[in-house]
Amino acid sequence: MRLAVVLLCALVAVQVALLAAPADAGELVVGYYDKKCRGVENVVQWHVRRALKTNRRAGAALVRLLFHDCFVRGCDASVLLDASPENPHPEKEAPVNIGLAAFDLLEEIKAAVEDRCPGVVSCSDILIYAARDAASALSNGNIHFDVPAGRLDGLVSSAAEAQAELPDSTFTVQQLIDNFARKDFDVEELVILSGAHSIGVGHCSSFTGRLTAPPEQINPAYRNLLNHKCHQGANPAVVNNVRDEDYETVARFMPGFTSRVRKISDFLDNTFYHNNLARIVSFNSDWQLMTHTEARGHVHEYADNATLWDGDFADSLLKLSKLSMPAGSKGGIRKKCSIATHPLY
């Protein structure tokens, strides 16, 4: 009897240790939930596709969340946490995270997964699945990758840390290169991931400098369009891709561009690179790619080959999804993605 108790205690200790230690990127496995929570990827995909039928911008928000989560403390869903006594100023409060969205959608997916498999699937894995499915849907299936899973949800979320780790829209090209290098991404991968700006929106406060930039940096007609949009309210959101702008506004400021206005918005493709070559991108950090020889070469490369970018973007998202939590971090499975309850499951 005593031996049985000792063995039981040892087993519990091992289980607790496994819960507390975050999975290393090398330990992530495709099909991780095949036996633990069969069909979980189908559940996530169903909710994502349903949401995108009424609001494609939710897909752009999910892709952005993947980047903004994984670039800070690794892929641990720390960007999803609300303010709490333990995290009084979480990542979502950082200025660089202005406009983050799709939190409610992820909570909806988490609740559905919890009904199916309580305490099994992490919010961090759900976020990666959802962002992958959004990228696939927004690209008509041209962007896809298998997601290795087994992540744990982190306990720490800091706006100051997010502000320090994430690239800012005002960065110079060298600041961008240095920032990405800290996460082991090279110049080509910087250019590849920047292509996500073919979808989504940005707030005017994120590109104030572009409103007065000289013609060699921004197309004057596009600059006038941005000024017009930014005077429509207090720091309004403006589409990243002028092809998603309303037809009347484009006709007024860029009449020669009306034939390129898209009937379906937020299509994830290589148009970002065409826009950059034409000096019609809103963020300074995007235009900065044209000031660096290697980066500029990749802009031309992906403008010329949409299929190449689709594959390379999928590979870069996969690499991004493998960024792990800092050594020594603790984690678990949250009941709600916005709350780091103690203890976790």
Side-chain angles (χ1 to χ4, degrees), residues 146-286:
D146 293 327
V147 174
R151 301 166 188 79
L152 294 180
D153 299 324
L155 304 176
V156 178
S157 184
S158 165
E161 190 170 5
Q163 195 66 27
E165 293 292 326
L166 287 164
D168 191 88
S169 59
T170 64
F171 273 9
T172 65
V173 69
Q174 192 57 54
Q175 286 175 310
L176 289 169
I177 292 171
D178 293 343
N179 178 271
F180 274 69
R182 287 198 293 270
K183 308 297 181 182
D184 195 32
F185 285 84
D186 60 24
V187 173
E188 181 177 20
E189 290 163 326
L190 159 63
V191 176
I192 292 167
L193 289 170
S194 296
H197 289 163
S198 67
I199 57 176
V201 299
H203 285 262
C204 290
S205 59
S206 298
F207 54 83
T208 304
R210 298 284 283 164
L211 302 180
T212 55
E216 59 268 22
Q217 297 181 12
I218 187 170
N219 181 299
Y222 181 59
R223 183 186 59 201
N224 292 339
L225 183 152
L226 292 179
N227 272 284
H228 168 74
K229 299 294 289 190
C230 288
H231 282 87
Q232 300 304 304
N235 197 23
V238 180
V239 293
N240 290 333
N241 195 332
V242 68
R243 298 160 196 262
D244 293 338
E245 192 56 80
D246 65 273
Y247 185 91
E248 291 75 15
T249 299
V250 175
R252 175 181 173 185
F253 291 96
M254 304 173 64
F257 200 81
T258 52
S259 63
R260 303 179 193 179
V261 174
R262 305 194 282 202
K263 294 181 179 179
I264 299 177
S265 67
D266 293 287
F267 190 80
L268 186 55
D269 59 14
N270 72 329
T271 53
F272 165 80
Y273 303 101
H274 292 279
N275 292 348
N276 213 344
L277 291 171
R279 294 172 290 117
I280 50 175
V281 291
S282 57
F283 299 131
N284 176 71
S285 54
D286 289 339

Side-chain angles (χ1 to χ4, degrees), residues 11-253:
L11 178 59
V12 170
V14 169
Q15 290 175 330
V16 171
L18 288 174
L19 180 63
D24 183 80
E27 299 171 359
L28 301 177
V29 178
V30 173
Y32 179 82
Y33 294 108
D34 285 354
K35 295 183 179 179
K36 300 173 183 289
C37 187
R38 186 176 297 277
V40 64
E41 292 190 56
N42 293 332
V43 173
V44 175
Q45 183 184 82
W46 185 86
H47 282 270
V48 169
R49 288 185 177 272
R50 185 180 70 167
L52 266 59
K53 284 182 180 179
T54 57
N55 180 19
R56 286 175 63 86
R57 196 133 294 158
L62 288 170
V63 174
R64 186 182 180 211
L65 275 176
L66 187 158
F67 181 87
H68 283 243
D69 182 47
C70 294
F71 234 62
V72 184
R73 303 190 64 80
C75 304
D76 65 345
S78 54
V79 74
L80 306 183
L81 289 175
D82 286 340
S84 67
E86 295 82 11
N87 299 295
H89 298 288
E91 292 174 26
K92 59 176 63 173
E93 294 183 4
V96 74
N97 279 334
I98 185 174
L100 289 182
F103 298 113
D104 290 345
L105 174 56
L106 289 169
E107 290 289 12
E108 172 191 308
I109 297 171
K110 174 63 171 173
V113 172
E114 284 295 301
D115 286 343
R116 190 185 189 95
C117 311
V120 174
V121 185
S122 67
C123 294
S124 48
D125 280 338
I126 288 173
L127 172 54
I128 304 299
Y129 286 141
R132 183 272 311 271
D133 293 339
S136 179
L138 295 180
S139 66
N140 285 349
N142 292 329
I143 297 169
H144 193 81
F145 58 95
D146 293 327
V147 174
R151 301 166 188 79
L152 294 180
D153 299 324
L155 304 176
V156 178
S157 184
S158 165
E161 190 170 5
Q163 195 66 27
E165 293 292 326
L166 287 164
D168 191 88
S169 59
T170 64
F171 273 9
T172 65
V173 69
Q174 192 57 54
Q175 286 175 310
L176 289 169
I177 292 171
D178 293 343
N179 178 271
F180 274 69
R182 287 198 293 270
K183 308 297 181 182
D184 195 32
F185 285 84
D186 60 24
V187 173
E188 181 177 20
E189 290 163 326
L190 159 63
V191 176
I192 292 167
L193 289 170
S194 296
H197 289 163
S198 67
I199 57 176
V201 299
H203 285 262
C204 290
S205 59
S206 298
F207 54 83
T208 304
R210 298 284 283 164
L211 302 180
T212 55
E216 59 268 22
Q217 297 181 12
I218 187 170
N219 181 299
Y222 181 59
R223 183 186 59 201
N224 292 339
L225 183 152
L226 292 179
N227 272 284
H228 168 74
K229 299 294 289 190
C230 288
H231 282 87
Q232 300 304 304
N235 197 23
V238 180
V239 293
N240 290 333
N241 195 332
V242 68
R243 298 160 196 262
D244 293 338
E245 192 56 80
D246 65 273
Y247 185 91
E248 291 75 15
T249 299
V250 175
R252 175 181 173 185
F253 291 96

